[in-house]
Amino acid sequence: MNACPLPTRVSLNAHLFQSGVPDRLRHLINDVARAGKYVHNAIRTTDLGLAGSENQFGEEQLKLDVLSNKIIKEELCESRLVHSYASEEEAVLQELVPDAPFTVVFDPLDGSSLVDANLAIGSIFGIYEKGDLIGRKPREQLAALYLVYGPRTILVYSADKGVHAFILNEVGEFILLQRNLSMRDEVKTYAPGNLRAVTDTPPYRKMMNIWLDEGITLRYSGGMVPDVHHMLIKGAGIFTNIAGSKYPQGKLRLLYECGPFAYIMEQAGGAASDGHHSILDVKIHDMDQRTPIIIGAKKEVKRVSEVLSENHRISNEKPRKALHPVA
Ligand code: F6P
Ligand code: MN
């Protein structure tokens, strides 16, 4: 007979174990989660924006994104399960342990320009079988996870068995918050990134007008992690960051941002597309590759992709009647 009492809470490790995630992958996800706790702590304790600030040892402080990169690298080294990694801060493959099983890609601190405004930010990770990433596709990821550092710190992971959210508690453990996050085919909110693209991409302006006319709610913070997390938690919505204007290839990175989120979104029953293909099927040909992304509720991803591929010349269209004519 099993003498273990029924647990009052489910830890990340217990959840990984119960879900049958293979041991080595489970250990690595735990190690990444620990790195996330140190980043969480750095965000709360680093003297942000103090000119020439020094830490307690009298050393000049690193910028938070550089510091987060350093923290994560150290934890990945200590794990001994990481053959190699690539970080958005470095964008080259770095070898760690030759006979270790995994290659990890990560964006150590996404949205770091939001730090001084005290908005939510995040870290994003994708896990592959070890090896060079060029020529591979994000669909080969074995798992993906992100942490969102907001008023609370939340970790969301998927390892091929659904998408699950955990909250960092007072004693520093990730405790199950919500299992099986899933997307309905519904759009109550939209998060339109790289909106400057409306200036040279008329179909994007058309899409914006459709959303405005449909009266759905804008939920856009400027951080991909909280903005996509919002949709996953609510189970509905659409996020776009399309190509155009300042970013002719798109602003967001395939390897470190879009790939992991596409994996999680598809696991949750949503979709992620570059406008033509699933992001998970886009071949990696450059460690710094950017891509447009349309991610969220399946049908809406399809509709946006269709509108964006129309060759509309908005300037020739009849002007819409203003709902509230200006006096
Ligand atoms: O890493 C880039 C980032 O900060 C994302 O987190 C965010 O979604 C995007 O930039 C915002 O881009 P834009 O300013 O074009 O809307
Ligand atoms: Mn980023």
Side-chain angles (χ1 to χ4, degrees):
M1 197 152 123
N2 186 342
C4 293
L6 272 181
T8 49
R9 63 190 96 77
V10 180
S11 68
L12 174 62
N13 185 51
H15 189 272
L16 289 160
F17 184 76
Q18 288 159 11
S19 311
V21 173
D23 276 350
R24 292 195 303 183
L25 186 55
R26 173 168 63 88
H27 291 307
L28 176 60
I29 292 174
N30 278 321
D31 293 340
V32 169
R34 191 174 56 250
K37 290 181 209 173
Y38 280 102
V39 175
H40 156 99
N41 185 55
I43 293 166
R44 271 146 189 80
T45 55
T46 305
D47 285 333
L48 304 173
L50 291 184
S53 60
E54 293 180 347
N55 66 14
Q56 55 178 321
F57 309 109
E59 297 157 346
E60 201 188 318
Q61 297 243 309
L62 293 176
K63 276 176 65 192
L64 209 46
D65 42 7
V66 179
L67 180 58
S68 307
N69 192 50
K70 187 168 174 274
I71 289 171
I72 294 168
K73 265 161 64 173
E74 279 180 23
E75 292 299 321
L76 295 184
C77 269
E78 195 185 314
S79 153
R80 311 306 296 162
L81 286 164
V82 182
H83 167 268
S84 45
Y85 74 86
S87 155
E88 195 188 287
E89 286 288 323
E90 301 170 50
V92 283
L93 196 69
Q94 307 275 5
E95 282 207 11
L96 294 181
V97 178
D99 56 356
F102 303 112
T103 291
V104 179
V105 295
F106 60 95
D107 181 351
L109 203 64
D110 182 66
S112 51
S113 69
L114 304 173
V115 166
D116 54 359
N118 204 22
L119 287 170
I121 47 183
S123 303
I124 312 167
F125 299 85
I127 301 174
Y128 290 79
E129 240 167 54
K130 75 166 167 191
D132 195 2
L133 294 159
I134 303 297
R136 292 164 80 183
K137 293 175 178 175
R139 196 174 289 286
E140 292 177 39
Q141 287 169 107
L142 303 170
L145 63 145
Y146 66 82
L147 292 104
V148 55
Y149 313 105
R152 312 283 188 93
T153 289
I154 289 176
L155 179 152
V156 174
Y157 91 88
S158 178
D160 198 34
K161 294 177 173 69
V163 181
H164 316 284
F166 296 78
I167 187 159
L168 187 60
N169 73 5
E170 289 286 303
V171 297
E173 184 148 37
F174 284 106
I175 300 298
L176 183 63
L177 182 65
Q178 207 174 318
R179 47 166 69 88
N180 292 317
L181 301 185
S182 66
M183 294 293 292
R184 301 181 300 280
D185 241 334
E186 206 181 320
V187 179
K188 289 187 173 164
T189 60
Y190 65 124
N194 195 21
L195 206 47
R196 52 186 91 68
V198 300
T199 56
D200 60 4
T201 315
Y204 200 31
R205 190 182 290 271
K206 177 178 174 175
M207 199 61 238
M208 279 302 300
N209 284 331
I210 293 173
W211 285 326
L212 288 170
D213 289 346
E214 287 177 353
I216 58 172
T217 304
L218 178 75
R219 282 291 175 270
Y220 191 71
S221 76
M224 185 186 198
V225 180
D227 287 337
V228 179
H229 178 67
H230 181 274
M231 301 188 316
L232 285 160
I233 286 294
K234 304 285 184 191
I238 186 79
F239 171 101
T240 52
N241 198 301
I242 71 144
S245 183
K246 247 170 96 179
Y247 300 103
Q249 312 297 322
K251 182 180 184 191
L252 302 176
R253 265 84 176 186
L254 175 64
L255 209 47
Y256 316 102
E257 294 163 323
C258 300
F261 268 117
Y263 180 93
I264 291 170
M265 186 54 76
E266 285 203 9
Q267 278 284 322
S273 169
D274 66 356
H276 305 284
H277 312 102
S278 163
I279 292 281
L280 294 182
D281 294 320
V282 177
K283 222 184 214 177
I284 302 159
H285 54 75
D286 184 345
M287 299 297 281
D288 207 24
Q289 190 169 334
R290 295 178 192 240
T291 176
I293 183 166
I294 305 154
I295 181 168
K298 239 182 193 162
K299 274 192 200 145
E300 189 66 3
V301 169
K302 190 161 175 274
R303 178 167 78 142
V304 177
S305 305
E306 282 165 8
V307 170
L308 290 180
S309 56
E310 290 171 11
N311 265 330
H312 282 279
R313 297 188 52 214
I314 295 289
S315 52
N316 283 350
E317 286 188 1
K318 269 199 192 152
R320 288 165 191 276
K321 265 199 191 142
L323 285 176
H324 304 289
V326 184

